[in-house]
Amino acid sequence: MAFITVHDVNMQYFLQNAQATEQLGSWLWQRLPSQALVFLQGDLGVGKTTLVRGFLRAAGFTGAIKSPTYTLVEEYEMLGRKFYHFDLYRLEDPEELEWIGILDYLVPAAICLIEWPSKGQGYLPAPDLIIDLSIKNDGRVANLQFSTEK
């Protein structure tokens, strides 16, 4: 993971490989507060779930970590804290989030990591952090935009 730039509340990293993407997830685990809403943006295969895997491994989770593409949400609990990993790619209508009780997941002492947040536009609150992943040469670029004082 190579640090590129920092501008106020924006940061950019070049990620050479999947290991660097997982390291960024680990870095996030060390810095996010106990309640946070994180949007993960980027094309298919850019490393969103890999980043979440690094985050959850750093939090101490040792089991299998899979993309919740078909289940919509995977729940993890460690150290008395809850973590929710959403993948909204297959969401047909943002209103479906209301049906699954999205607001029940956005509780104190929970961190929600949401892939494809644009699919939930109008039903999701403003995030604390937006991570936009994109392909660059043989690696990835991660743009982090912090939107709160957390």
Side-chain angles (χ1 to χ4, degrees):
M1 180 170 77
F3 176 71
I4 298 178
T5 56
V6 176
H7 298 285
D8 296 319
V9 292
N10 299 324
M11 303 171 92
Q12 186 178 73
Y13 291 93
F14 178 71
L15 308 168
Q16 292 183 319
N17 51 35
Q19 181 181 2
T21 304
E22 286 190 23
Q23 287 174 347
L24 178 59
S26 176
W27 180 88
L28 285 172
W29 160 250
Q30 297 169 24
R31 285 160 181 81
L32 285 178
S34 61
Q35 180 182 6
L37 178 59
V38 179
F39 286 178
L40 302 167
Q41 301 177 154
D43 292 335
L44 286 171
V46 80
K48 296 179 294 293
T49 299
T50 301
L51 188 142
V52 172
R53 184 178 304 116
F55 179 89
L56 292 170
R57 290 280 181 248
F61 188 76
T62 58
I65 298 168
K66 59 184 176 158
S67 175
T69 301
Y70 294 100
T71 59
L72 222 56
V73 63
E74 290 289 333
E75 181 179 338
Y76 303 89
E77 188 168 349
M78 295 153 297
L79 307 171
R81 294 174 63 189
K82 290 191 182 259
F83 305 91
Y84 301 104
H85 178 200
F86 290 85
D87 186 333
L88 306 183
Y89 182 74
R90 298 200 183 281
L91 205 66
E92 295 291 327
D93 185 322
E95 194 172 281
E96 290 176 57
L97 289 175
E98 189 174 325
W99 300 335
I100 68 162
I102 188 69
L103 295 179
D104 294 336
Y105 292 99
L106 305 174
V107 296
I111 292 180
C112 293
L113 304 148
I114 302 180
E115 297 184 31
W116 300 96
S118 62
K119 298 275 195 160
Q121 189 171 6
Y123 284 86
L124 294 173
D128 300 303
L129 171 61
I130 297 171
I131 302 174
D132 191 6
L133 294 162
S134 59
I135 295 173
K136 183 172 183 176
N137 301 326
D138 290 337
R140 307 286 191 266
V141 171
N143 289 298
L144 284 66
Q145 180 183 353
F146 295 87
S147 57
T148 68
E149 294 296 319
K150 289 184 182 180

